[in-house]
Amino acid sequence: MAIQKNMDPKKCPMPVQDPQIRRTNFNEVALGYTYEMAVNEAKRCLNCKNKPCRTACPVQIDIPAFIERVANEDMEGAYRIISQSSSLPAVCGRVCPQETQCESKCVRGIKGEPVGIGRLERFVADYHREHCTEKPEMPVPNGHKVAVIGAGPSGLTAAGDLAKLGYKVTVYEALHLAGGVLVYGIPEFRLPKIIVQKEIDNLKAIGVDIETNMVIGKVLTIDELFEMGNEAVYIGSGAGLPRFMNIPGESLKGVYSANEYLTRINLMKAYKEGSKTPIKHSKKVAVVGGGNVAMDAARSAKRMGAEEVYIVYRRGMQELPARKEEVEHAEEEGIIFKTLTNPVEVLGDENGNVCGMKCVEMELGEPDESGRRRPVVKEGSEFVLDVDTMIMSIGTSPNPLIRSTTPGLETNKHGCIVTDGDDGLTTREGVYAGGDAVTGAATVILAMGAGKAAAKAIDKYIKEKN
Amino acid sequence: MYKIVRKKELNPTVTLMEIEAPLIAAKAEPGQFIIFRAKEDSERVPLTIADFDRDNGTVTIIFQIVGGATMELNTLNEGDCLHDFVGPLGRPSETDGLKKVAVVGGGVGCAIAYPIAKKLHGLGCEVHSITGFRNKDLVILEDEFKEVSSVLKMMTDDGSYGEKGLVTNALEELIKSGNEYDEVIAIGPVIMMKFVSNLTKKYNIKTIVSMNPIMIDGTGMCGGCRLTVGGETKFACVDGPDFDGHLVDFDEAMRRGAMYKDFETNAREASCNLLKQEVKG
């Protein structure tokens, strides 16, 4: 039966917690579509032949096919289609930058708003989690072992795909909890940890072993993982050391890296009453940077009780690299955007606490190698921003632990692991890598895409070898 | 899970625990550290490894009860398990080519200085050890140090044991009496390491200190453990914890180390109150 299309030029809006209320709690901001909303939004998809959305998805989910199932109210069918391509749909539906990926190519976007693909993906995954009682099927073992380093989005994706092919996969995680950036970085209000936990439980149910407290490069080397019978190793160890600006005052008390600030709040639960994790209860906070991590840090600071929170970014609003929705949510929650502004010094009081941030105003000049207009300092524009906390969110450089203990593993001048082509093969036979360890700080979905490609390559490599 | 196979009170505020952790024991080297969480909701706390037994697969830690987390750890007994125990983290202390070394330990820092003294001794290096404690009741590891040192100077602040004075007094005396050290290794409170470094700078003797800043993950992710060393930002967890004492900005390290002092005091009081309640119940 042909389905009546929904020709509304606008997406069905996402129900959200009221900004005035949500900025005081850590509950999820976006509440998710209802069943009716999802079916109605799915009917906006024209199911066009070319499927441009699919080519713009880093893991190539068959988007029109799953949306058609939603329109037909076959939610489990929709889930099965997404699952073929994505191991963590409930996560991606929440944190992917859809506006620059699938939704950017949607035909409906030409004359109106694109189909709410991310929102539908989230709905399908949530619906499955809430309604499906079937246990995932245990794959038939193929007798081969693979080790995965890092239980973040990249490693978990590779592990899931390999396990489904019958491999015995062990994931080694350095922290005490699996999930990587999904548990230490992205806050509860954007990605509830129970959802991450469920996705991890699903992987365990198909036979993936996760060993926490294992810092590969220290407790075991990659060579030892091979000696233990693994035939291939996937490195998804993530981004590493936070970058600082090398301006005076960065070691004052009250200067955090976004990684530290968010880890204290998310992984170590400093946001919960009675938590044993100390954190500064700031009044006025400046977050330096314009990416998703900066938005997460700023919105977390607000929720921790800060009265004024600034995003300080050296380019303009148009250049903010964060997801559009995060910027909008941050604005609604009262985060103040100081764009075209760059810090030059952190000021401290007599006890070594942050008491201000000296900034300069910027203007946009000629485009640089990234194609974005280069910000240049406006003469005589120096001013002091009155803050007691500064959170640096200007990226990371890769972790040195694995490269320094793995002979033959080549890295580039930034310390990122060098891989050949799209399948993640490193300069060591049988060793594959992907995600932030290769690209430097990027997105969850790109890390997942890399994990997926590597899983496929590892499968091919082991089959050809045997 | 990481079982406590031995627990011993070394003095009223310092406890030794031997933990079952075969993979870590197989790799541990002096100078490296572990991170523990006593219970599921505990903080992550770094502790430098005091000893390890590769055959029995155990790692020894020695800790001073200073805050909520160490107090919580101290409530566990032989046979209990730590929730998390990860390592060996950081870079091992460098011992290559050292022929004569002065090892200086202050307070519970002696627990970390000892395995280095032991390793150096095992390598045939001449070890002169200087230990410093506030008073006689707090002295730990005396026999252990004796066994691996050709000279042992024990100092107390109040003179109740060994000689009265600071470790720097003893070190300067040894230097002045003609001892030529390849290196001085100083491990203890930041203020002690600062003064040892100031002293050895005067005599131009290379000095290594072991820094123990606030840390969360300990693997090079959070950046909380950063220090300024020779004007550059360094991370104790991956670049250290050993650094050149003549280059470390100790004053900054002391300020940063005190960042959560109020919180720690409150946490300690809260833990005490909880313990009292448990005792009552």
Side-chain angles (χ1 to χ4, degrees):
Chain A
M1 190 186 77
I3 289 195
Q4 183 67 47
K5 294 289 174 203
N6 169 0
M7 294 313 290
D8 191 331
K10 286 197 173 278
K11 273 186 204 178
C12 171
M14 177 64 115
V16 291
Q17 265 199 81
D18 182 89
Q20 298 310 314
I21 295 169
R22 74 182 189 233
R23 66 191 223 186
T24 64
N25 69 47
F26 272 82
N27 299 335
E28 193 170 15
V29 168
L31 302 171
Y33 277 171
T34 62
Y35 192 94
E36 290 70 30
M37 286 174 181
V39 172
N40 212 22
E41 180 65 19
K43 288 177 182 165
R44 291 186 62 231
C45 174
L46 303 176
N47 208 351
C48 52
K49 247 191 248 157
N50 293 336
K51 304 185 179 186
C53 51
R54 186 176 185 177
T55 56
C57 171
V59 296
Q60 273 112 55
I61 294 174
D62 191 345
I63 294 165
F66 99 75
I67 292 182
E68 191 182 19
R69 299 292 193 288
V70 177
N72 282 310
E73 302 189 34
D74 171 14
M75 302 308 171
E76 276 311 306
Y79 183 78
R80 275 195 301 276
I81 290 171
I82 298 175
S83 294
Q84 284 164 10
S85 312
S86 169
S87 307
L88 309 164
V91 173
C92 290
R94 288 171 166 83
V95 304
C96 260
Q98 289 95 3
E99 73 266 16
T100 60
Q101 296 177 359
C102 51
E103 294 183 18
S104 74
K105 296 285 190 292
C106 177
V107 171
R108 292 295 306 264
I110 299 168
K111 283 188 181 162
E113 287 183 357
V115 176
I117 300 170
R119 295 169 183 183
L120 288 171
E121 181 186 24
R122 168 185 163 149
F123 172 79
V124 170
D126 287 355
Y127 188 89
H128 170 81
R129 192 178 61 251
E130 284 154 19
H131 293 88
C132 180
T133 50
E134 267 173 60
K135 286 259 177 285
E137 220 171 290
M138 194 72 164
V140 183
N142 68 7
H144 299 285
K145 272 173 71 177
V146 176
V148 171
I149 304 168
S154 197
L156 291 176
T157 301
D161 281 16
L162 288 163
K164 282 178 199 156
L165 293 167
Y167 290 92
K168 180 69 213 156
V169 183
T170 308
V171 182
Y172 295 97
E173 167 56 43
L175 289 171
H176 57 261
L177 197 63
V181 73
L182 308 176
V183 296
Y184 76 71
I186 302 176
E188 181 76 16
F189 58 81
R190 202 148 77 80
L191 178 63
K193 299 310 150 216
I194 182 87
I195 286 164
V196 180
Q197 195 49 51
K198 286 273 179 165
E199 302 271 20
I200 290 167
D201 290 345
N202 286 342
L203 291 179
K204 287 183 179 165
I206 58 167
V208 173
D209 276 336
I210 300 181
E211 290 202 29
T212 53
N213 293 330
M214 293 291 283
V215 183
I216 302 303
K218 287 289 176 189
V219 71
L220 292 173
T221 61
I222 286 184
D223 290 303
E224 284 167 317
L225 293 176
F226 280 110
E227 284 162 25
M228 289 159 66
N230 291 295
E231 291 174 62
V233 173
Y234 179 68
I235 307 170
S237 53
L241 296 163
R243 289 212 187 107
F244 290 88
M245 293 180 73
N246 293 321
I247 56 174
E250 282 181 316
S251 290
L252 290 164
K253 290 185 280 182
V255 181
Y256 285 101
S257 75
N259 274 4
E260 180 184 358
Y261 191 72
L262 290 170
T263 300
R264 283 181 184 276
I265 293 173
N266 300 324
L267 179 73
M268 304 310 292
K269 309 277 175 237
Y271 73 89
K272 287 192 175 165
E273 202 157 321
S275 165
K276 290 169 185 163
T277 303
I279 192 151
K280 184 168 172 164
H281 289 276
S282 318
K283 294 249 180 317
K284 294 181 180 183
V285 180
V287 179
V288 181
N292 288 319
V293 179
M295 301 303 139
D296 285 346
R299 297 170 68 197
S300 295
K302 194 92 195 175
R303 284 162 172 77
M304 294 300 290
E307 289 151 18
E308 277 170 37
V309 181
Y310 301 96
I311 288 278
V312 175
Y313 181 57
R314 63 197 183 113
R315 301 181 200 253
M317 281 308 276
Q318 294 311 309
E319 284 80 20
L320 284 169
R323 271 177 102 211
K324 201 167 139 237
E325 191 182 57
E326 308 311 326
V327 176
E328 287 166 5
H329 282 167
E331 285 184 304
E332 288 166 12
E333 289 163 17
I335 308 295
I336 304 159
F337 283 75
K338 287 249 174 228
T339 50
L340 291 169
T341 303
N342 207 27
V344 289
E345 185 181 351
V346 198
L347 307 173
D349 65 15
E350 67 282 4
N351 297 315
N353 293 304
V354 173
C355 68
M357 194 168 94
K358 199 186 276 181
C359 302
V360 286
E361 287 176 24
M362 311 293 280
E363 51 199 353
L364 293 178
E366 295 300 307
D368 62 13
E369 64 272 23
S370 73
R372 294 182 298 181
R373 291 174 65 194
R374 184 195 297 275
V376 286
V377 178
K378 219 192 258 180
E379 284 300 318
S381 62
E382 210 169 88
F383 70 99
V384 172
L385 198 59
D386 174 24
V387 292
D388 59 26
T389 301
M390 177 180 180
I391 302 171
M392 298 298 277
S393 181
I394 54 167
T396 59
S397 40
N399 193 298
L401 294 186
I402 289 174
R403 69 168 185 261
S404 62
T405 54
T406 311
L409 188 73
E410 223 173 88
T411 52
N412 67 18
K413 64 175 192 295
H414 303 293
C416 298
I417 298 171
V418 173
T419 56
D420 182 24
D422 295 332
D423 63 5
L425 180 63
T426 68
T427 49
R428 274 282 302 265
E429 190 190 335
V431 179
Y432 295 76
D436 285 3
V438 170
T439 57
T443 61
V444 168
I445 188 71
L446 283 173
M448 287 180 55
K452 212 164 183 59
K456 213 166 140 190
I458 288 171
D459 179 48
K460 187 162 169 261
Y461 163 72
I462 292 178
K463 283 200 175 123
E464 280 172 4
K465 194 170 63 109
N466 285 281
Chain B
M1 293 294 255
Y2 311 88
K3 198 162 115 190
I4 301 166
V5 294
R6 185 162 70 99
K7 180 181 177 183
K8 193 179 159 196
E9 190 180 278
L10 297 185
N11 73 35
T13 61
V14 176
T15 303
L16 174 149
M17 277 184 186
E18 196 176 335
I19 317 282
E20 204 171 80
L23 289 174
I24 303 174
K27 287 288 172 70
E29 289 290 343
Q32 291 188 295
F33 65 95
I34 56 90
I35 284 184
F36 75 87
R37 288 203 315 158
K39 297 180 183 166
E40 199 187 350
D41 61 348
S42 303
E43 260 196 279
R44 294 172 64 93
V45 178
L47 274 182
T48 307
I49 293 168
D51 206 350
F52 47 84
D53 183 332
R54 302 212 204 279
D55 297 332
N56 289 321
T58 60
V59 172
T60 301
I61 51 174
I62 293 178
F63 59 94
Q64 188 161 23
I65 303 153
V66 284
T70 39
M71 199 172 278
E72 199 172 43
L73 177 62
N74 201 40
T75 63
L76 301 181
N77 292 308
E78 274 176 23
D80 293 343
C81 288
L82 272 70
H83 198 276
D84 298 289
F85 198 71
V86 55
L89 300 168
R91 299 156 73 104
S93 297
E94 283 172 26
T95 48
D96 285 356
L98 297 175
K99 296 277 178 276
K100 186 170 178 177
V101 171
V103 176
V104 183
V108 75
C110 290
I112 312 158
Y114 166 66
I116 296 165
K118 180 177 157 187
K119 183 175 180 186
L120 288 167
H121 176 72
L123 291 169
C125 171
E126 184 181 349
V127 178
H128 291 185
S129 297
I130 303 163
T131 61
F133 298 94
R134 283 211 309 278
N135 60 51
K136 186 182 177 211
D137 295 339
L138 301 178
V139 172
I140 56 169
L141 300 172
E142 181 179 0
D143 294 340
E144 285 84 349
F145 269 107
K146 254 185 203 153
E147 215 166 281
V148 299
S149 317
S150 50
V151 172
L152 173 62
K153 294 265 185 193
M154 300 189 63
M155 311 298 288
T156 48
D157 293 355
D158 63 357
S160 56
Y161 199 72
E163 283 174 49
K164 182 178 159 80
L166 301 171
V167 291
T168 40
N169 305 138
L171 179 62
E172 186 154 29
E173 210 172 281
L174 285 171
I175 296 168
K176 276 186 172 163
S177 65
N179 286 294
E180 284 184 14
Y181 298 115
D182 299 331
E183 196 170 289
V184 171
I185 298 174
I187 303 169
V190 179
I191 185 89
M192 180 207 92
M193 296 193 285
K194 175 183 167 175
F195 282 106
V196 169
S197 300
N198 284 349
L199 173 71
T200 55
K201 208 171 194 169
K202 208 165 75 183
Y203 292 98
N204 203 19
I205 307 168
K206 184 180 173 190
T207 298
I208 298 296
V209 295
S210 176
M211 302 301 286
N212 189 11
I214 292 169
M215 213 175 258
I216 308 178
D217 66 302
T219 63
M221 184 272 280
C222 81
C225 67
R226 65 188 187 277
L227 303 157
T228 304
V229 181
E232 276 178 61
T233 298
K234 293 280 180 191
F235 299 96
C237 67
V238 292
D239 299 321
D242 286 2
F243 291 101
D244 182 338
H246 295 161
L247 298 177
V248 172
D249 184 338
F250 290 107
D251 295 335
E252 177 191 287
M254 278 186 273
R255 275 200 304 273
R256 287 183 61 81
M259 177 149 177
Y260 298 110
K261 217 169 167 189
D262 293 347
F263 188 98
E264 272 295 322
T265 310
N266 293 338
R268 189 167 55 228
E269 279 164 14
S271 294
C272 286
N273 291 338
L274 275 178
L275 283 176
K276 278 182 209 150
Q277 279 170 19
E278 275 171 30
V279 171
K280 268 188 212 157

